[in-house]
Amino acid sequence: MSALLEQSKLRPGHFIVARQLATLAGTISLPGPDRFIHLQFRRFAGCPVCDMHLRSIARRHDEIASAGILEVAVFHSSAEELRPFTQELPFEIVADPEKKLYREFGVEASPRALLDPRAWLPILSGVLRSLGRILQGRQPVASLQAEGGKLGLPADFLINSDGQILACKYGAYIYDQWSVDDLLAEAKRV
């Protein structure tokens, strides 16, 4: 990794710029005024691996909310592209097709997202899961020309109400992100 890319990455202790984020449901304040925010960067609308991960977050959403965490997922797709894939998700979704937040938070794309051998089983599992949902009529088919490309890497940030990054993780491959247990442990640790 180049020194320039490494310098653009945020670290625990850094503060973010306060702003309002447009979500598919309205707007939210970042940072949140009275709770932690888990800001996670995903890939494109219909990404099978992202979908598999987000469903695991959705299953434990009540537990996350009870820990004082607002869940926010960012995609590099338009709101129009995202809506058919995120209707069942019980948390905030942000469309960032121009990748402004990705650049600000130092979240990158790389061929290693798909080429790392640790990614292959999650890719296969995600594709098979999505195929089953498509055949059942529960999910549309994702575009072959994903907005923002298909080589995005995941990233997770836990941000307090002052805008300070308490913990973060930049993924090395497509399925290298915090689990719910990881997120809850980070929130308890701070």
Side-chain angles (χ1 to χ4, degrees), residues 91-147:
F91 44 83
E92 302 293 342
I93 305 294
V94 174
D96 185 20
E98 296 166 358
K99 292 188 174 181
K100 290 178 183 177
L101 284 171
Y102 288 80
R103 284 189 296 279
E104 182 180 336
F105 280 79
V107 181
E108 61 187 82
S110 170
R112 74 178 184 270
L114 301 175
L115 299 178
D116 188 303
R118 295 171 292 181
W120 299 346
L121 183 57
I123 290 170
L124 179 61
S125 297
V127 167
L128 291 174
R129 184 186 177 288
S130 288
L131 181 59
R133 290 175 58 85
I134 289 167
L135 293 174
Q136 294 170 357
R138 296 177 55 209
Q139 176 179 315
V141 177
S143 171
L144 294 176
Q145 300 298 319
E147 289 177 287

Side-chain angles (χ1 to χ4, degrees), residues 32-88:
D34 57 355
R35 56 186 160 180
F36 294 146
I37 289 186
H38 174 217
L39 187 67
Q40 62 169 298
F41 288 82
R42 307 306 329 154
R43 296 177 351 122
F44 56 90
C47 166
V49 176
C50 301
D51 183 63
M52 186 171 62
H53 175 65
L54 291 176
R55 301 297 167 179
S56 74
I57 299 284
R59 281 191 296 277
R60 295 181 64 189
H61 182 258
D62 290 342
E63 191 177 347
I64 294 167
S66 293
I69 302 169
L70 175 66
E71 191 66 41
V72 180
V74 181
F75 286 84
H76 55 70
S77 294
S78 67
E80 181 181 317
E81 287 279 323
L82 282 169
R83 278 192 178 89
F85 294 97
T86 59
Q87 293 174 2
E88 298 172 359

Side-chain angles (χ1 to χ4, degrees), residues 15 32 73 107 122 135 140 148 167 180 184:
F15 285 84
V107 181
L135 293 174
V180 173
L184 295 173

